[in-house]
Each structure stands twice: as C-alpha cells, then as structure tokens.
Amino acid sequence: MNNTGENIYCSAEYKRSQKAYTIECAFEYFIALVVTDAFLAKLLRSMGADDALCGIISSFISLAMLFQLCSLFVVGRITNTKKTAVAVHTAAQLLFTALYLIPFLPFPDAYKRPVFVICMLAAYFGNYLVTSVIFKWGMSFVDPARRARYASVKEMVSLASGVIVSLLIGIATDAFDSHGNTKGGFAFTAACMAVFSICDFVCLMLIKNEPVKEKTARQPLIPALRYIFTDKRFLRVLLIHCLFNIATYATIGFMGTYKQDELAYTIGQIQIINTVGVAGRFFASRPFGRFSDKHSYYKGIMLALVILSVAFLVNMFAAPGLRWLVIAFTLLQSVSCAGTSQNLLNITYAYVPEKYFVHATVIKSSVSGVIGFCATLLSGRILSAVQSNGNTFLGMHVYSQQLLSAISLAVTLITLVYMAISSRKMKTQ
C-alpha cells in the first residue's frame, strides 16, 4: 500500500511493468525454443556432431547455471538494475542468434564445433549473470499474494505464443530442407531470433526501474552465504532441485536426436508433438498456480513430480514400433513443467528472506546445474555404450533413451519420497 492507502501493485506504472515483463519472457522463450531439442540437434548435426555430443551440448544449459555464481560478486555493485540487466541480457540474446550463423563460417566442421560451444557458453554466461536479477526485478511489481497466479499467466502467454512461433519455424525449416537448402533454414531462423532479441530489449526498457526499497536491501556476500548454508529448509530445497535436475537432464537432452533418428519424425512433426505438450502445459498452468498459492509451492512441486514419474514410465516403452508413446511422454512431461518451472523459482521466496533472495537463487541454480550436467555426462557414456553394443543391455534389445528414462523414473520417485518425508519440516516464513 502507498501513503494514500491505494494498492501500489494496481497502479498504472506497476501494471505496465507487469505486462512488459510478461511479454519480455515470451520473447526470451522464443529464443530458448530454437536453441534446444530438435532445433539444436539439427544445427549440431549440420556440423558433424554425433548423438552423445548433441546430448551433452544440449545440456549446457544446466552447466551454464554455474555462471550465476558470478552474479554474487556483481549484484551488490549494481547501481542501476535496469541499465545493467538490459545491456547484459540483450548481448546474450544476440549471441544466441549468432549460433545459427556459425554453419556459414568458412571453416571445417572440426573448427565450427568449438566455436559453437564457446559462443553458446558466452551467451549463457551473459544470460545467467542477470537471470536472478531480472526475475527479482520483474516480480517486485507483483503482489506477493498472487505471485504463483501471475507466474502461471506469464507462462501461459509464453506457451501459447511459443506454439505458433515454433510451428512456423519448424514448417519453414522443413520447407528449406525439402528444397535441399538447409542453410537457408538456418538463415531464416537467425533472422527471426534477431527480431525476437530487439522486441525483448524494448520490453525490458518498458519496465520501471528497480523500486527504491530494493536498492537498500542488498546484503554483504559473506553474511548472506552464512545464512543460506545454515538454513536447513533451503538446503532441503537445494537437494530437491539437484535430484530434479538429475532426473530431467539424464534423459531430456537426448530426446532430440531420438525423435529424429530412431523414431523417424521430421522437424515439423516434432514441433506438432511439442505443440501437443505445450497445449497441455498451457491448460495446466493456471490450475497449478491456484493450487500452489493455496497449498504451497512445495506441494505444487510434489504434484508435478507425480506426473513426471508417469511420463518417464511411458517413455520407457517408446520405440519405433510404439513411437506414438513419445507424444504421451511429451504431453505428460510438459504438464509436469507447469508445476515445476515456476514453483522451483518461487519456492525460494517461501523459505529465504527477500534480502537474501538473489544469493539463494544463484546458489540453488548453480549447484543443481552442475549436478544436472554431470548427470548428462554420465548419461552420454551410457548412451554410447548401449549404442556400441548394438542397442542391447543385459541381453535385452533396448534403446539408450529407454534405459535413461528408467533411471530418471527411479530418481524422480526418490525425490518424491524425500519430499513426502520432509514436508512437515518445511514451514514457510
């Protein structure tokens, strides 16, 4: 409330910032869509990368979260949140755009791949350097009692518009491929990403600069870390996030090539499948938001993990003869994301004082990101071993992604059991 008794979150300035942040997240999501899954796998394949390498590079998003640690040393020195966040974030989005221009470099593929990795890591470095800062900045204009519902609507906007964007780019990519012009598809995608980057920049500029109360809340690094690492509730949340990343990154990063090769789907067909998943996530987002606001972010995550367990169980049986099961897997996994993506971010608000929010978010994302990437490396070795053995494991014919899904299922169930046991100890602030 302001001095006149009016709810400041309903003021015109705050409403404009809420809308601008919602739309900005959508444009950021568009760019994220075309540097993951089948799009990224196709781009890497054009530079001679094999399945294992595609899976590992696809999971750089997890390792790159380690870059958020650098923000711990930066956040306390930021004097103008808007200026710093906009500059760094925009540079990162343009670097992602540059990934689709690497195939045009006059180098052999053996040199293009290292350039690709360096460019991708640099993009993620800039992105994650200010991710927690932008999240806190954008959410500071939202009524704390309605954060989960706002986050669900924000996600729904991104998902609905993302469906259209991914389908159009997927159809265009297939059209270029059908005319033997794969690089033309890359050029088209790069042009789209450049437009998205400009629109992202405009939206960030429309958000009101950080409120004054936020500028007085920055804390020295050492006391903040001391508090965070002695808070048992936060440590439990950190463990849950680590287990979740192990479960997801052990399988998800390797599904792009599996859909294209073993299951024989085209890029356009994969985007249609992804659209089915996005539709499920879209309709589940609002109910998950209401459920989490009413019962807690913690219970929202638990419900999502139940759905994720079923998804991995289904994917264990997805094979060329039953390739339609990957549609069910995609739908269930996407629906589970409606309960995990925002709740894993918002849960930090429930157990950590706001003055330590950025520090806690960075630690959680960085540690869980490294753990997730290590899981990907191990999965990559399992994939290579199974494929080199003629897709057999313990004498049974099995595809690597089926085995990885079984591992992910086991880890997800362990996470659920741990959360159920520790739930009584997780009282919010």
Side-chain angles (χ1 to χ4, degrees), residues 200-265:
D200 185 288
F201 168 80
V202 172
C203 290
L204 286 175
M205 292 300 294
L206 291 173
I207 302 176
K208 173 181 167 63
N209 207 346
E210 191 179 36
V212 174
K213 65 176 183 178
E214 299 291 330
K215 293 184 178 180
T216 61
R218 296 189 178 100
Q219 301 295 316
L221 179 59
I222 300 303
L225 295 180
R226 185 183 298 118
Y227 178 90
I228 290 169
F229 282 110
T230 55
D231 188 325
K232 292 182 179 179
R233 294 173 305 173
F234 172 76
L235 294 178
R236 292 190 188 102
V237 170
L238 176 61
L239 176 58
I240 290 166
H241 206 153
C242 288
L243 290 171
F244 172 77
N245 275 11
I246 291 173
T248 53
Y249 284 99
T251 299
I252 301 300
F254 301 94
M255 289 303 296
T257 55
Y258 189 56
K259 293 172 187 174
Q260 292 182 68
D261 295 342
E262 286 82 357
L263 302 185
Y265 285 112

Side-chain angles (χ1 to χ4, degrees), residues 62-294:
S62 180
L63 178 64
M65 289 181 181
L66 183 63
F67 293 144
Q68 287 196 49
L69 287 174
C70 298
S71 67
L72 291 177
F73 303 97
V74 174
V75 65
R77 295 177 171 82
I78 295 177
T79 57
N80 188 318
T81 298
K82 184 172 183 175
K83 182 178 179 180
T84 303
V86 171
V88 175
H89 184 73
T90 302
Q93 301 307 92
L94 291 174
L95 276 172
F96 279 126
T97 302
L99 293 177
Y100 274 85
L101 300 178
I102 292 177
F104 296 93
L105 294 177
F107 305 146
D109 288 343
Y111 296 107
K112 290 179 183 177
R113 291 194 294 271
V115 171
F116 183 93
V117 170
I118 293 171
C119 190
M120 189 174 191
L121 289 176
Y124 276 124
F125 174 78
N127 194 47
Y128 283 123
L129 187 65
V130 293
T131 289
S132 56
V133 175
I134 292 177
F135 179 78
K136 185 184 177 186
W137 171 35
M139 293 296 284
S140 67
F141 302 102
V142 181
D143 187 340
R146 299 184 61 84
R147 278 179 179 146
R149 273 165 284 192
Y150 169 80
S152 68
V153 172
K154 176 167 64 70
E155 182 174 71
M156 289 168 72
V157 171
S158 295
L159 292 174
S161 51
V163 166
I164 299 172
V165 169
S166 61
L167 273 176
L168 289 177
I169 295 180
I171 292 171
T173 299
D174 284 347
F176 279 106
D177 284 347
S178 66
H179 290 85
N181 187 14
T182 299
K183 286 189 175 181
F186 293 154
F188 173 79
T189 304
C192 292
M193 293 173 72
V195 173
F196 300 153
S197 298
I198 294 171
C199 293
D200 185 288
F201 168 80
V202 172
C203 290
L204 286 175
M205 292 300 294
L206 291 173
I207 302 176
K208 173 181 167 63
N209 207 346
E210 191 179 36
V212 174
K213 65 176 183 178
E214 299 291 330
K215 293 184 178 180
T216 61
R218 296 189 178 100
Q219 301 295 316
L221 179 59
I222 300 303
L225 295 180
R226 185 183 298 118
Y227 178 90
I228 290 169
F229 282 110
T230 55
D231 188 325
K232 292 182 179 179
R233 294 173 305 173
F234 172 76
L235 294 178
R236 292 190 188 102
V237 170
L238 176 61
L239 176 58
I240 290 166
H241 206 153
C242 288
L243 290 171
F244 172 77
N245 275 11
I246 291 173
T248 53
Y249 284 99
T251 299
I252 301 300
F254 301 94
M255 289 303 296
T257 55
Y258 189 56
K259 293 172 187 174
Q260 292 182 68
D261 295 342
E262 286 82 357
L263 302 185
Y265 285 112
T266 67
I267 291 291
Q269 290 172 330
I270 291 172
Q271 293 317 305
I272 293 174
I273 293 172
N274 289 342
T275 298
V276 173
V278 169
R281 182 173 174 177
F282 177 88
F283 289 110
S285 289
R286 197 65 184 271
F288 259 114
R290 288 195 297 265
F291 178 87
S292 300
D293 274 337
K294 181 178 180 180

Side-chain angles (χ1 to χ4, degrees), residues 304-366:
L305 291 182
V306 172
I307 299 172
L308 184 61
S309 299
V310 179
F312 285 128
L313 178 63
V314 169
N315 206 43
M316 287 172 57
F317 300 95
L322 292 170
R323 70 174 192 157
W324 60 269
L325 285 177
V326 82
I327 302 174
F329 164 74
T330 301
L331 175 61
L332 290 167
Q333 192 265 334
S334 295
V335 169
S336 74
C337 286
T340 56
S341 62
Q342 296 300 327
N343 282 330
L344 283 172
L345 287 172
N346 286 326
I347 196 172
T348 310
Y349 278 115
Y351 304 117
V352 177
E354 190 172 353
K355 61 183 179 180
Y356 299 132
F357 176 81
V358 172
H359 303 83
T361 301
V362 167
I363 294 296
K364 178 165 63 71
S365 298
S366 300

Side-chain angles (χ1 to χ4, degrees), residues 22-83:
T22 296
I23 299 172
E24 183 275 330
C25 287
F27 284 115
E28 183 180 8
Y29 178 62
F30 299 162
I31 293 175
L33 283 174
V34 290
V35 291
T36 55
D37 198 47
F39 285 115
L40 182 61
K42 184 174 185 63
L43 183 58
L44 288 168
R45 282 289 182 78
S46 73
M47 293 180 278
D50 59 20
D51 286 4
L53 184 58
C54 285
I56 292 171
I57 293 178
S58 295
S59 297
F60 270 161
I61 185 174
S62 180
L63 178 64
M65 289 181 181
L66 183 63
F67 293 144
Q68 287 196 49
L69 287 174
C70 298
S71 67
L72 291 177
F73 303 97
V74 174
V75 65
R77 295 177 171 82
I78 295 177
T79 57
N80 188 318
T81 298
K82 184 172 183 175
K83 182 178 179 180

